[in-house]
């Protein structure tokens, strides 16, 4: 056989492999089977659409083949807006009107608490939701208990009028890289998301409305009015496939077996009250416009919209791409994923029908030190993002991007720094510790030796600029904007003697001294100042990494704040101890002052350690409920208040 004949035969085989599902071995030459030459398509900045150059089915099957092949190779190689005034506090959220799941909910009369799992010798691991009634004296009595499935982990709850939604998952979400490992939870058959909906019009007798199961690991969720939005990530778990092996013949056999599978085996299912159906049709899935027959991808990002008033009424959207997190405004949901020194964002509208809108790729990632969701914002229909290039390097570079939708693309219309504003955000070596957008400003905290607080003027979205800067010891990991130019910062203090003088270099990184809460005046953005601060030595607060731990209540005179703290040290006998408390603070708007009201530290009889990361509180008409572990304590909003409980 001459060269031309061999070349013609090769192209004929390739055509058969691409355009049909016949066996590849039928076209092999001299019994030398050649597996398909495919490439995996990672998070892409390409706009998404229905099938163009490649069908969604072939795209997914190619991805499954690449995943199986990679596993075989790896095995061989061992490789806020501020909330409106109310008489009681609710979950502290990033955006007003966009609710986030939490382990405690309150409607003014009843507390709903998702208990942390407790193991008992008689019943094993017990998971439940407790409903507690508020009495006239603000004491609590248990009204009812809802038992939860013991094999699930509660991600959080939503309370909407007389409906309680409990969102759970069987495995935590993992990034795409973990798929290549045999031990990856993606390969577990029970990597699913659950939404259990209960009627609580009569809290003493809650009733089950719907039990919903969605194939796919939970990315995150949000609630807007009566609609619950769930984002999941799904990878088909095909059974009865031959081993990948490493020989050409075994790879060909694997690919043919995958091609023979029915498309219904590739899509996630949704089960509502025992009735199972496909979440969507594979032909409706959107994939990168640049994808070809030689590309593949296994992951399906599903965005599901559930009507809490009628859970049988749902709609869904399928994107054949990656997503590692989300940000939601009142009108849009933005799914974001890490690229190679870039961030990919997909915009989805949340109207009567959830629809894909556009895709963007911006330079830099959403970092690692600060919350990713707070680095994104929406203003006047435009997307704002703060990213970092070289987040793990010794000299990271930070920038603000402003993007506007043009067709199916989010196009960058402005950046900071820029030609007219060339000064960098942050000093050399500083990482971003906190970002907060509020009205026509952005606040960014960077830190290495001191805490520069930058105030960004967003009055003109086509020309953002740094309006002011403030340097103080320590750093803020969370920023909470208030009215009248007040800003609360929660983070850590550092030793003043470790801060270098101008022109000198410290011998070591400053030591974190303790938890710090600061009140800033940013009314004049060109001259931000510190109005007051409190420091708790050798302590931290979960608010530093989970904003839901902070309780906020707008009052006639200003704001009330409550945040859990945990301190540690050695007692006089040399024994290590930890102490948990709820710190209560007050901001007076007229006086522009920050006051520490009380440190609520109930005596407990627990003989085991419970971290403070899931502690919460609720403020109501001068009363405080402090959820410490699984126990609730009550106190008045006043210094030295008596603590009642536990409940």
């Amino acid at each position: 056989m001459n060269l031309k004949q061999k070349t013609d035969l090769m192209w004929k085989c390739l055509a058969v492999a691409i355009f049909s599902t016949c066996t590849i071995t039928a076209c092999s030459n001299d019994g030398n089977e050649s597996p398909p030459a495919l490439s995996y398509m990672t998070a892409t900045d390409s706009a998404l659409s229905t099938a163009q150059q490649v069908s969604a089915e072939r795209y997914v099957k190619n991805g499954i083949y690449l995943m199986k092949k990679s596993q075989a190779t790896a095995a061989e190689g061992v490789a806020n807006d501020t909330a409106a005034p109310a008489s009681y506090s609710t979950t502290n959220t990033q955006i007003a009107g966009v609710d986030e799941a939490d382990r405690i909910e309150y409607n003014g009369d009843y507390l709903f608490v998702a208990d942390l799992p407790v193991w008992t010798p008689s019943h094993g691991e017990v998971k439940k939701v407790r409903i507690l009634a508020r009495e006239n004296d603000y004491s609590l009595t248990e009204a009812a208990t809802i038992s939860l499935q013991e094999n699930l982990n509660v991600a959080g709850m939503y309370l909407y009028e007389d409906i309680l939604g409990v969102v759970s998952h069987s495995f935590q979400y993992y990034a795409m890289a973990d798929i290549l490992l045999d031990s990856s939870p993606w390969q577990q058959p029970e990597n699913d998301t659950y939404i259990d909906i209960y009627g609580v019009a009569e809290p003493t007798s809650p009733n089950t409305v719907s039990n919903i199961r969605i194939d796919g690991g939970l990315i995150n969720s949000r609630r807007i009015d009566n609609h619950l939005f769930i984002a999941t990530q799904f990878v088909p778990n095909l059974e009865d496939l031959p081993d990948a092996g490493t020989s050409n013949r075994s790879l060909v056999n694997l690919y043919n077996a995958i091609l023979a599978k029915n498309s219904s085996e590739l899509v996630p299912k949704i089960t509502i009250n025992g009735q199972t159906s496909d979440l969507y049709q594979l032909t409706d899935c959107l994939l990168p416009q640049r994808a070809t027959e030689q590309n593949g991808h296994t992951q399906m990002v599903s965005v599901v919209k559930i009507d809490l008033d009628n859970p049988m009424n749902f709609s869904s959207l399928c994107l054949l791409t990656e997503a590692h997190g989300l940000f939601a405004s009142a009108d849009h949901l933005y799914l974001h994923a890490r690229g190679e020194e870039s961030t990919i964002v997909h915009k989805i509208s949340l109207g009567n029908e959830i629809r894909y809108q556009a895709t963007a790729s911006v330079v830099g990632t959403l970092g690692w030190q600060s919350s990713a969701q707070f680095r994104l914002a929406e203003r006047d229909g435009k997307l704002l993002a703060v990213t970092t290039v070289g987040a793990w390097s010794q000299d990271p570079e930070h920038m603000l991007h402003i993007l506007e939708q043009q067709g199916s693309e989010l196009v960058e219309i402005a950046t900071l720094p820029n030609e007219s504003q060339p000064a960098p955000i942050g000093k050399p070596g500083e990482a971003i510790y906190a970002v907060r957008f509020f009205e026509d400003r952005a606040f960014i905290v960077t830190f290495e030796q001191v805490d520069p607080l930058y105030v960004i003027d967003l009055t003109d979205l086509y020309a953002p600029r740094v309006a002011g800067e403030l340097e103080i010891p320590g750093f803020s990991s969370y920023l909470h904007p208030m009215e009248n130019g007040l800003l609360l910062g929660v983070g850590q203090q550092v030793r003043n003697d470790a801060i270098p003088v101008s022109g000198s270099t410290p011998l070591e990184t400053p030591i974190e001294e303790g938890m710090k809460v600061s009140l800033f005046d940013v009314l004049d953005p060109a001259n931000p100042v510190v109005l007051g601060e409190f420091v708790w030595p050798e302590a931290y607060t979960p608010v530093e990494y989970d904003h839901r731990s902070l309780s906020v209540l707008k009052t006639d005179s200003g704001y009330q704040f409550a945040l859990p703290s945990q301190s540690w040290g050695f007692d006089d006998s040399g024994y290590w101890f930890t102490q948990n408390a709820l710190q209560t603070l007050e901001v007076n708007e007229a006086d522009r002052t920050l006051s520490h009201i009380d440190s609520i530290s109930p005596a407990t009889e627990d003989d085991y350690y419970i971290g403070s990361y899931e502690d919460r509180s609720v403020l109501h008409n001068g009363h405080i409920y402090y959820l410490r572990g699984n126990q609730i304590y009550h106190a008045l909003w006043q210094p030295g208040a008596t603590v009642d409980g536990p409940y």
Side-chain angles (χ1 to χ4, degrees):
M1 184 180 294
N2 60 35
L3 179 61
K4 182 180 186 302
Q5 289 173 319
K6 290 182 179 180
T7 303
D8 290 343
L9 180 58
M10 179 187 70
W11 282 110
K12 288 177 182 178
C13 288
L14 183 59
V16 171
I18 293 177
F19 297 109
S20 73
T21 58
C22 72
T23 60
I24 298 175
T25 54
C27 294
S28 63
N29 179 30
D30 299 330
N32 229 351
E33 299 93 322
S34 297
L38 306 176
S39 62
Y40 176 74
M41 207 165 191
T42 57
T44 174
D45 59 352
S46 171
L48 306 177
S49 66
T50 52
Q52 293 189 6
Q53 301 181 67
V54 57
S55 69
E57 181 174 347
R58 177 56 66 89
Y59 189 60
V60 173
K61 287 181 175 179
N62 285 353
I64 294 173
Y65 167 78
L66 288 167
M67 180 181 67
K68 295 293 185 181
K69 179 182 176 183
S70 296
Q71 288 174 338
T73 304
E76 282 201 346
V78 190
N80 222 22
D81 305 341
T82 53
S87 61
Y88 58 87
S89 63
T90 57
T91 299
N92 181 29
T93 61
Q94 179 183 7
I95 303 295
V98 182
D99 195 12
E100 302 179 35
D102 202 3
R103 67 171 298 220
I104 186 170
E105 297 288 341
Y106 185 56
N107 64 5
D109 296 312
Y110 290 88
L111 276 168
F112 302 82
V113 179
D115 275 1
L116 302 175
V118 175
W119 189 88
T120 64
S122 57
H123 297 92
E125 192 173 67
V126 177
K127 296 182 179 180
K128 61 183 178 180
V129 173
R130 287 192 299 149
I131 304 177
L132 300 103
R134 177 184 63 81
E135 304 297 339
N136 290 333
D137 62 355
Y138 284 81
S139 63
L140 299 172
T141 57
E142 189 163 301
T145 298
I146 300 174
S147 297
L148 304 176
Q149 296 185 52
E150 63 181 33
N151 62 324
L152 301 182
N153 301 306
V154 176
M157 302 186 297
Y158 292 97
L159 184 63
Y160 166 71
E161 296 183 348
D162 294 331
I163 295 292
L164 180 71
V166 181
V167 180
S168 307
H169 55 93
S170 46
F171 287 93
Q172 185 56 274
Y173 167 68
Y174 287 81
M176 181 62 202
D178 295 328
I179 292 179
L180 304 182
L181 302 177
D182 285 329
S183 60
S184 166
W186 285 118
Q187 301 311 303
Q188 301 289 342
E190 299 297 327
N191 185 20
D192 302 319
T193 299
Y194 296 77
I195 305 98
D196 297 310
I197 300 175
Y198 303 94
V200 291
E202 295 293 337
T204 56
S205 303
N207 63 291
T208 301
V209 175
S210 289
N211 299 117
I212 302 173
R213 169 177 165 170
I214 301 172
D215 290 349
L218 176 67
I219 297 175
N220 217 319
S221 63
R222 294 291 187 269
R223 180 189 66 84
I224 300 175
D225 296 326
N226 63 315
H227 289 112
L228 183 60
F229 296 91
I230 304 287
T232 65
Q233 189 96 271
F234 173 76
V235 172
N237 186 28
L238 297 182
E239 299 178 349
D240 303 322
L241 291 177
D243 292 336
T246 55
S247 69
N248 285 352
R249 178 176 290 277
S250 63
L251 291 174
V252 167
N253 290 340
L254 171 64
Y255 190 55
N256 286 332
I258 293 172
L259 292 180
K261 291 291 184 179
N262 190 288
S263 63
S264 64
E265 299 182 63
L266 304 176
V267 297
K269 313 296 182 194
I270 183 170
T271 302
I272 304 179
N273 300 334
Q275 298 182 10
T276 301
S277 61
D278 291 343
L279 189 57
Y280 36 69
Q281 298 299 310
L282 194 55
T283 52
D284 294 331
C285 290
L286 307 179
L287 61 155
Q289 291 179 357
R290 293 203 303 264
T292 71
E293 289 278 2
Q294 281 69 51
N295 297 133
H297 193 87
T298 51
Q299 288 172 293
M300 300 179 188
V301 175
S302 306
V303 179
V304 185
K305 177 182 179 181
I306 299 172
D307 187 343
L308 292 173
D309 290 323
N310 180 18
M312 296 295 291
N313 181 18
F314 75 91
S315 57
S316 59
L317 178 68
C318 169
L319 309 177
L320 299 181
T321 187
E322 294 180 38
H324 305 141
L326 64 81
F327 160 75
S329 68
D331 302 312
H332 299 100
L333 184 146
Y334 296 88
L335 295 163
H336 59 82
R338 293 179 300 274
E340 186 174 349
E341 205 62 86
S342 65
T343 298
I344 313 300
V345 181
H346 301 292
K347 178 181 179 182
I348 297 167
S349 64
L350 302 178
N352 293 330
E353 183 179 358
I354 49 177
R355 286 182 174 274
Y356 165 77
Q357 295 289 305
T359 293
S361 175
V362 294
V363 175
T365 67
L366 299 181
W368 59 275
Q369 187 67 52
S370 59
S371 170
Q373 74 177 62
F374 282 94
R375 286 195 179 212
L376 299 172
E378 185 181 71
R379 182 168 178 262
D380 297 340
K382 297 174 178 59
L383 175 66
L384 293 78
V386 174
T387 66
T388 299
V389 174
W392 295 95
S393 70
Q394 294 183 345
D395 192 17
E397 179 184 356
H398 314 298
M399 58 198 72
L400 167 69
H401 310 268
I402 301 177
L403 302 105
E404 182 178 67
Q405 182 175 347
Q406 297 178 12
S408 59
E409 295 183 8
L410 293 171
V411 178
E412 194 165 74
I413 60 172
T415 60
L416 190 69
N418 52 49
E419 289 185 3
S420 61
Q421 291 274 314
I425 299 174
K427 305 296 188 294
E430 291 180 342
I432 288 181
Y433 274 65
V435 178
R436 194 64 190 259
F437 293 91
F438 183 65
E439 295 179 344
D440 59 358
R441 295 178 190 173
F443 305 98
I444 300 177
V445 171
T446 61
F447 176 79
E448 185 188 35
Q449 310 296 347
V450 293
D451 171 1
L453 169 67
Y454 292 90
V455 182
I456 312 295
D457 186 344
L458 300 173
T459 305
D460 183 355
L461 291 177
Y462 291 89
R465 64 184 185 89
V466 175
E469 176 186 344
L470 171 68
E471 290 190 4
I472 58 174
F475 60 86
S476 295
S477 298
Y478 173 75
L479 299 171
H480 192 90
M482 293 168 276
E483 297 174 352
N484 298 321
L486 295 173
L487 180 71
L488 192 79
V490 180
Q492 288 284 316
Q493 175 68 301
V494 300
R495 283 175 26 207
N496 288 330
D497 59 357
I499 303 297
V501 297
S502 178
S504 66
T505 302
L507 296 178
E508 60 181 17
T509 301
I511 298 173
E512 295 181 2
E513 185 182 42
M515 161 184 156
K516 179 170 72 169
V517 177
S518 306
L519 179 64
F520 301 100
D521 185 336
V522 292
L523 195 60
D524 179 2
N527 297 289
V529 297
V530 180
L531 297 175
E533 62 182 25
F534 291 94
V535 175
W536 290 261
E538 303 297 332
Y540 85 99
T541 172
V543 176
E544 295 175 42
Y545 52 85
D546 188 346
H547 58 283
R548 299 172 302 173
S549 300
L550 180 69
S551 292
V552 185
L553 184 63
K554 182 73 171 69
T555 66
D556 292 337
S557 60
Y559 294 83
Q560 293 178 345
F561 294 96
L563 62 163
S565 68
Q566 184 171 92
S567 57
W568 53 87
F570 293 93
D571 60 22
D572 295 338
S573 301
Y575 288 101
W576 172 262
F577 74 91
T578 60
Q579 183 177 22
N580 292 87
L582 184 73
Q583 308 297 339
T584 55
L585 301 101
E586 196 166 68
V587 170
N588 186 293
E589 275 191 277
D591 298 338
R592 306 181 78 75
T593 56
L594 175 69
S595 303
H596 181 218
I597 303 301
D598 199 8
S599 180
I600 301 172
S601 184
T604 64
E605 298 179 358
D606 295 334
D607 57 356
Y608 54 90
Y609 173 78
I610 301 177
S612 64
Y613 47 89
E614 294 286 357
D615 287 358
R616 300 288 190 268
S617 61
V618 171
L619 311 178
H620 186 181
N621 281 344
H623 293 260
I624 305 165
Y625 293 116
Y626 172 26
L627 174 59
R628 166 77 193 123
N630 284 339
Q631 298 179 320
I632 300 178
Y633 300 88
H634 166 256
L636 294 175
W637 186 272
Q638 62 184 33
T642 301
V643 180
D644 304 321
Y647 298 101

